Amino acid sequence: MLSISFYMDWRFEEDILDSLALRVKSASIKNDPESLIISAMNIATYIEERNTEVFGNTQFNSLKVKLMSTSFSPFNYGGDACGGYTLFLARLLKKIGFKEKIVQLKVNEKWGGHITLAVENGNKLLLIDPLYNYAFKDSLGHFSDIHDVANNWYAYYSKQLPLKYDKTYDYQSGWRFTNWDKFGFLSRSIYHTGIFIYGKEKMDNFSFRYWILDFSKYYSILSFFGFLLFPSIIIVPVFKKKNLYFFKKTSIFLNENLNILPEASGFKQQKR
């Protein structure tokens, strides 16, 4: 039942995203990548801000909200700050056909102080900040690559920010796509193994969070396999134990009453 519930949630989310993707394409002035990104960010921001106004001060106590928050949560009840805005927009852009990388910013020497999005477009990673509904642009008005933003932060980009933008969000201080320290030795081992196989550049540019945006789908898969594993972990050992108990009881009964002893190949009657 749990697997079915997650699957139904995922399919419901996909239907909504399909509808939003059509709305984005119809709302974009042109069908070019930059126009589509702007339209998607505008629509996502509108939804999240309206829901935040309604539910912003609401305390949700259900286990689903507390333990299983997904990239679709901001659509349902707003909030979630930069992370929620970024993950929801990333999922919408993914539905439209873009590939993205979740960006963790280093703020005051701490990783993850701010979350933004880099959208792949050819050989560029176009940087946008969903929380502020803001796209970083160069002097010609074109979307900027995240590397250009970081390299020219103080010289140009920090001076172009909207007034409400938090000035501690400094791209020159550092950014990354995946926290390879998240699970300690395990995640670091995966990182170093990946470097050996694929090279450091690919591992540093890999965004793990992007591949698990559809949380409900993966919850459905995990719960389904959990259901399949349950018999082998719980039921089968119990069944074997009962069978062993029955075998021992039967063996004792036959031995006491018929003078028959169990052997490896089965029961064999002894000669009197």
Side-chain angles (χ1 to χ4, degrees), residues 82-100:
C82 57
Y85 276 62
T86 296
L87 293 178
F88 178 64
L89 178 58
R91 186 145 177 216
L92 177 56
L93 288 172
K94 185 178 181 180
K95 173 60 69 173
I96 294 170
F98 288 99
K99 290 183 178 180
E100 318 97 43

Side-chain angles (χ1 to χ4, degrees), residues 103-272:
V103 181
Q104 291 185 1
L105 203 63
K106 195 174 187 179
V107 180
N108 296 325
E109 300 302 317
K110 292 183 179 180
W111 285 107
H114 188 51
I115 308 296
T116 57
L117 195 63
V119 185
E120 292 186 15
N121 182 33
N123 60 350
K124 290 186 176 183
L125 290 171
L126 308 181
L127 182 63
I128 58 177
D129 193 328
L131 180 63
Y132 293 96
N133 194 18
Y134 179 71
F136 291 86
K137 297 181 179 181
D138 59 22
S139 58
L140 298 177
H142 300 301
F143 279 32
S144 299
D145 181 88
I146 187 172
H147 299 89
D148 293 333
V149 174
N151 293 334
N152 299 282
W153 181 253
Y154 291 114
Y156 179 77
Y157 290 98
S158 64
K159 301 174 183 178
Q160 311 302 318
L161 300 172
L163 291 177
K164 63 179 182 178
Y165 202 93
D166 191 332
K167 300 302 187 294
T168 63
Y169 300 157
D170 177 358
Y171 282 84
Q172 203 160 315
S173 295
W175 50 269
R176 65 187 181 187
F177 297 130
T178 298
N179 178 10
W180 292 110
D181 296 318
K182 179 76 172 180
F183 301 106
F185 175 77
L186 177 61
S187 54
R188 286 193 293 269
S189 297
I190 294 173
Y191 174 67
H192 291 295
T193 302
I195 290 177
F196 179 76
I197 299 173
Y198 302 107
K200 190 175 187 303
E201 183 178 356
K202 283 192 175 182
M203 293 305 294
D204 287 341
N205 284 286
F206 177 74
S207 178
F208 176 76
R209 196 70 180 270
Y210 167 78
W211 295 102
I212 57 170
L213 284 172
D214 305 344
F215 275 94
S216 295
K217 177 175 72 174
Y218 292 107
Y219 284 146
S220 175
I221 294 171
L222 289 173
S223 58
F224 176 72
F225 279 105
F227 169 76
L228 293 180
L229 288 174
F230 178 78
S232 61
I233 296 174
I234 304 297
I235 298 176
V236 172
V238 171
F239 182 75
K240 286 183 176 180
K241 186 176 181 180
K242 288 186 176 181
N243 273 358
L244 181 62
Y245 176 78
F246 175 76
F247 174 79
K248 287 181 178 180
K249 284 291 185 180
T250 304
S251 176
I252 293 171
F253 173 81
L254 293 174
N255 184 44
E256 290 178 348
N257 295 277
L258 302 176
N259 199 24
I260 295 176
L261 294 174
E263 295 186 358
S265 59
F267 296 130
K268 183 177 180 182
Q269 188 174 0
Q270 288 186 338
K271 295 181 179 179
R272 294 184 179 275

Side-chain angles (χ1 to χ4, degrees), residues 2-67:
L2 189 62
S3 179
I4 293 173
S5 176
F6 285 134
Y7 177 78
M8 291 174 65
D9 283 345
W10 172 56
R11 291 311 311 166
F12 173 68
E13 292 169 4
E14 288 295 296
D15 287 343
I16 291 177
L17 288 169
D18 284 332
S19 178
L20 288 175
L22 290 175
R23 179 67 182 270
V24 167
K25 292 175 182 178
S26 64
S28 59
I29 299 174
K30 304 175 183 177
N31 202 29
D32 64 285
E34 293 187 7
S35 179
L36 287 171
I37 293 170
I38 288 293
S39 294
M41 188 160 57
N42 287 339
I43 289 175
T45 299
Y46 178 84
I47 292 171
E48 290 162 327
E49 286 182 347
R50 300 293 84 74
N51 285 343
T52 300
E53 288 176 3
V54 175
F55 299 111
N57 296 321
T58 305
Q59 293 293 326
F60 295 94
N61 298 314
S62 70
L63 289 176
K64 183 172 182 178
V65 173
K66 289 182 176 296
L67 301 180

